[in-house]
Amino acid sequence: MSLPIRGDFRLRKADFADLPAVYRVCLQTGDAGKDATAREDDPDALGHMFIGPYLVLEPDFAFVLEGPRGVAGYVMGALNTPDFYLRMERDWLSEVRKRIPDPGPDESRWRGSDWIRHRIHNPPYLYPPALHAFPSHGHIDFLPEARGVGWGRRGFQHLMNALAEAGSPGMHLDVSPQNDPAIAFYEKLGFAPVLSDDMPAGSLTMARRF
Ligand SMILES: CC(C)(COP(=O)(O)OP(=O)(O)OC[C@H]1O[C@@H](n2cnc3c(N)ncnc32)[C@H](O)[C@@H]1OP(=O)(O)O)[C@@H](O)C(=O)NCCC(=O)NCCS
């Protein structure tokens, strides 16, 4: 499967040397698609949860978008969600937790990155029966300089092709209900909300078959 190149940008497989850059992109897109730098007091905590485990544990489905100023985005996924969550718990979060204390469940006391610190210790690991027809899942985040010129579609299509070639029948993703641009983007790519009593209130999961 050839990787797209256009203009000054190209999509390529991610490697471990990309970890600092993808953590940075994760932070700069971590507030429902907007820059979360001012909100977080730990610049790495979001990356520990949402991007590090994908690059390290699912390298066949981890891609970065490289532009003239370096990594400008990523698209990453997990082929088999329940298997990935088992490995994320055993091989990733168990180590991360040794360095990051749990601030506890009282949200009124949370400051800065406490919400994500708590989540690192209490991951939701959402995979109810309503998602079983869509066993893969994924993430995409681009910096503003890379948006609006078709790279999102090309990148996500590349990920979907890789997952489908590996045998997956479909994928799901979580998106903030406040992130209207991303919801519009996913709808354009054929994703629809998963409407089921299985899904937690206040979150939005979208899915599509391949
Ligand atoms: C969401 C995101 C990945 C989209 O990537 P992109 O490169 O800007 O999107 P593209 O240019 O490839 O657009 C693909 C399609 O989605 C549509 N689309 C993209 N952004 C849109 C928006 N804000 N409103 C409506 N439609 C939109 C485009 O019109 C296009 O449709 P077409 O292919 O039928 O012409 C990118 O904007 C981004 O990284 N945003 C910030 C991080 C984020 O929110 N990530 C998702 C977290 S769940």
Side-chain angles (χ1 to χ4, degrees), residues 23 48 92-101 120-121:
Y23 268 51
H48 288 329
W92 181 262
L93 287 180
S94 59
E95 292 302 315
V96 172
R97 286 181 193 130
K98 291 176 185 168
R99 303 192 294 276
I100 296 190
I120 283 168
H121 286 265

Side-chain angles (χ1 to χ4, degrees), residues 81 85 123-128 131 137 172 174 198-200 203-205:
T81 292
Y85 286 160
Y125 290 138
L126 185 69
Y127 193 61
L131 295 181
H137 75 270
H172 64 275
D174 295 317
D198 283 347
M199 308 307 295
S203 69
L204 176 59
T205 299

